[in-house]
Amino acid sequence: MDTLQYLADGFSVAFQWHNLLFALVGVIIGTAVGVLPGIGPMSGVALLIPVTATITSGMPTSAAAASSIILLAGVYYGAMYGGSTTSILLNTPGESSSVVTTLDGYQMAQQGRAGAALAISAIGSFCAGIVALIGLILLAEPLSNVAVKFGPAEYFSLMLLGLAAVSGLAGKSMTKALIMTVLGLMLGTIGIDAVSGIARFTYDQPILYSGLEFLTVAVGLFALGEVFKTILEKDDETGAIAKIHRIMPTKQDMKDSALPIARGSLLGFFIGVLPGAGATLASFFSYMTEKKFSKNPETFGKGNIAGVAGPESANNAASGGAMIPLLTLGIPGSGTTAILMGALIMYNIQPGPLLFDEHPEVAWGLIASMLIGNLMLLVLNMPLVRVFAKIIETPKKYLLPLIVAISFFGVYAVQYTTFDLFLLLGCGVLGYLLSKNDYPVAPLVLALVLGPMIENNMRRALTISNGEFSIFFTKPLSLVFIIAAVAWLLVPLLLKLRGRKVIINEEG
Amino acid sequence: MNKKFDQFAGVAFLLVGILFLVESQKISDSAYGSSVGPKIFPMWLGIILIALSIRLLYETFKIKSEESKKEKLQYKKFLIIFVSAVLYAFFLEKIGYVASTFLFLLIAFQTMERRKIISSLLISAFFAFGVYYLFSELLGGSLPGFPLV
């Protein structure tokens, strides 16, 4: 069994003491990020990229990339655990994928069952994480074997599909989402063209030759945008935090949530694999499914534990599932995975089918560390739930300026120019204005990461076909991707025309 | 949703699209004579953005202006922090990391809440020195140190 051998190698990477430490730090920070309202997984991961980049700077590239991605992925799925805490205790979701958890979770807390709700969401998240990982392990090899056969035309169409999927589901207006996508692609063309070596849109400014740094843009748009929003819109002080009495769920609770957890995990995983449909959508669907399956649907919204267990498992499974297109195809399906991909590219490691051959220690090390990380989260979350709940009380007056300072440090430590600091501030203002007016910023970041790859593959394909655009439609796989991309954009539009309410994905 | 912002943004995106279309024509064709030079991609992006922003403008004119909620925004706080962040970026290399970070944090903390000056001082100093020491001394990174000393 090749896969088992690779997995064993992966574990030997993940069990190196510094990688264990990285995973631990990642999941702790991730939980904190999930708990703190205002910082979502996306800004959390973006903020930590520069920090991990400096910590790992002394290591060989491949090992450094493995360690960084272990930490960053830990933040990503750790945030899924943490997000439920505020939903249950405060009725305010820490991030968008925990919105439905508030429905029954807060009710449970009101009835004095906060501990059980928290515990069941931790257990559910753990099971889901494991299901997603098994899926990842099973699908990774076959998928990347298929993807190896892709030519530039297939890649171009596949990336178009990725962009279309994210734009089609993001935000309230598809026009706005598409504008953001195109804008991201445009920003990606700034700098020296990789194929011909010609400077584009640089206007003789040497600082622009290497292009706009994706990290600066992402941190600015997400982290600073969020900070500026919180400073400008002083929100009302949050209400009282529900008390946690007893943490262990009762036998009846466990019995009631076993099936919802199983269903939520599977559902979440498959939704996560689809590009564009992220954790938020997964948790939403899971809630609806549970309500349908339940013998007494009227108890939903009044503290039914299945309404916590299902969605919480689903959002965690989705975050694991989202790693599949990223690792095997090199196509991030969401804002956060786009940022993870940007981090890998910073280390000169290209996610995609060749990742498993060229850098098995990165791919399998990450997979193995996710298993360990999920276990850590379960162990940490059960006894420490009270401690994490305390993080909610961190005063904003200290938190917000510190986030600005951390992003300054991060960007400067990687880029060494004050130009990037000004760019960072500019992106922060832009990020605030855009997301306030329903322009989703996740597609922009995704497009910025994918832009150069899309362009290169397009030009390579066109060079093969002597400039005939028909190459994208005559290759069968490429045609399938393009049809899927068009469908992804048209179907929601058609549904809207027929007056249906379309569920949108506000997470990145 | 803010109709004014959308109209403004629509015009701005339209201009960006036109700019991209025009400027992409100035990019020289690639030397090796392939038919797909470096200007094709930006040119098409420009065209698509123009089309999309026209659609956005059309959408905003179609929507009847809705009641606009007046929110109280804390412009003063934001401006103070934003300006001090700009100054922070400007002075970072001139007066060094520790001094600029300390000053920025102190001003920002006090802007958020004008109380507890002692804890503001302590946290700012701790963060500025801590990051500098950890990063420059322990990890061997480079940050602008103390140019004035």
Side-chain angles (χ1 to χ4, degrees), chain A residues 125-459:
Chain A
S125 299
F126 173 74
C127 298
I130 301 302
V131 168
L133 274 169
I134 293 170
L136 183 55
I137 291 165
L138 291 178
L139 282 178
E141 277 291 314
L143 254 182
S144 55
N145 286 341
V146 174
V148 166
K149 301 198 182 84
F150 285 7
E154 281 86 0
Y155 260 113
F156 172 76
S157 311
L158 183 62
M159 283 184 235
L160 270 195
L161 169 61
L163 285 182
V166 171
S167 319
L169 288 167
K172 289 177 186 148
S173 148
M174 198 188 291
T175 316
K176 290 180 178 178
L178 285 174
I179 286 180
M180 290 290 102
T181 310
V182 176
L183 214 58
L185 290 173
M186 284 178 159
L187 291 179
T189 62
I190 294 175
I192 290 190
D193 171 36
V195 180
S196 60
I198 291 169
R200 297 188 292 186
F201 306 107
T202 54
Y203 301 103
D204 295 328
Q205 298 295 316
I207 201 102
L208 287 176
Y209 283 163
S210 55
L212 296 181
E213 175 61 34
F214 132 85
L215 177 72
T216 313
V217 176
V219 172
L221 284 176
F222 291 113
L224 281 197
E226 202 61 49
V227 169
F228 290 163
K229 176 175 183 257
T230 327
I231 295 176
L232 275 165
E233 301 166 4
K234 189 183 185 183
D235 41 16
D236 304 317
E237 278 310 303
T238 35
I241 298 171
K243 285 268 183 311
I244 305 166
H245 298 291
R246 136 197 185 111
I247 290 176
M248 282 313 287
T250 59
K251 272 227 175 74
Q252 187 59 39
D253 286 341
M254 294 294 278
K255 232 173 102 188
D256 288 343
S257 19
L259 271 176
I261 288 177
R263 280 193 290 260
S265 304
L266 287 174
L267 189 72
F269 174 74
F270 286 110
I271 291 179
V273 175
L274 293 176
T280 312
L281 216 57
S283 60
F284 200 83
F285 272 125
S286 165
Y287 191 79
M288 295 198 297
T289 316
E290 288 315 317
K291 213 168 166 179
K292 225 167 240 165
F293 272 101
S294 171
K295 284 188 195 104
N296 27 352
E298 71 280 357
T299 56
F300 275 81
K302 291 176 188 147
N304 191 324
I305 197 160
V308 175
E312 276 305 313
S313 316
N315 70 23
N316 214 284
S319 73
M323 302 301 273
I324 290 183
L326 173 69
L327 291 178
T328 56
L329 304 175
I331 310 285
S334 68
T336 318
T337 42
I339 290 173
L340 287 178
M341 174 154 165
L344 283 174
I345 292 176
M346 268 178 59
Y347 287 100
N348 256 335
I349 285 177
Q350 182 70 47
L354 295 176
L355 178 72
F356 286 84
D357 289 331
E358 285 172 1
H359 304 282
E361 73 281 10
V362 176
W364 289 102
L366 171 65
I367 293 175
S369 91
M370 282 174 79
L371 276 168
I372 301 169
N374 268 297
L375 196 64
M376 286 177 178
L377 277 170
L378 183 67
V379 175
L380 278 175
N381 267 273
M382 297 293 272
L384 290 184
V385 118
R386 280 170 229 255
V387 181
F388 281 122
K390 276 266 182 293
I391 299 179
I392 306 171
E393 292 162 18
T394 315
K396 285 215 178 92
K397 62 169 281 207
Y398 294 125
L399 187 65
L400 298 177
L402 281 176
I403 294 176
V404 178
I406 293 171
S407 12
F408 263 59
F409 162 73
V411 166
Y412 189 83
V414 173
Q415 295 296 108
Y416 294 116
T417 61
T418 38
F419 166 78
D420 272 85
L421 294 180
F422 291 118
L423 179 65
L424 176 76
L425 286 169
C427 287
V429 175
L430 216 60
Y432 166 70
L433 285 176
L434 289 174
S435 48
K436 185 177 162 53
N437 291 289
D438 300 321
Y439 292 82
V441 277
L444 194 156
V445 172
L446 187 63
L448 182 60
V449 173
L450 286 180
M453 288 159 55
I454 291 190
E455 184 182 5
N456 288 343
N457 279 304
M458 181 188 94
R459 281 160 68 180

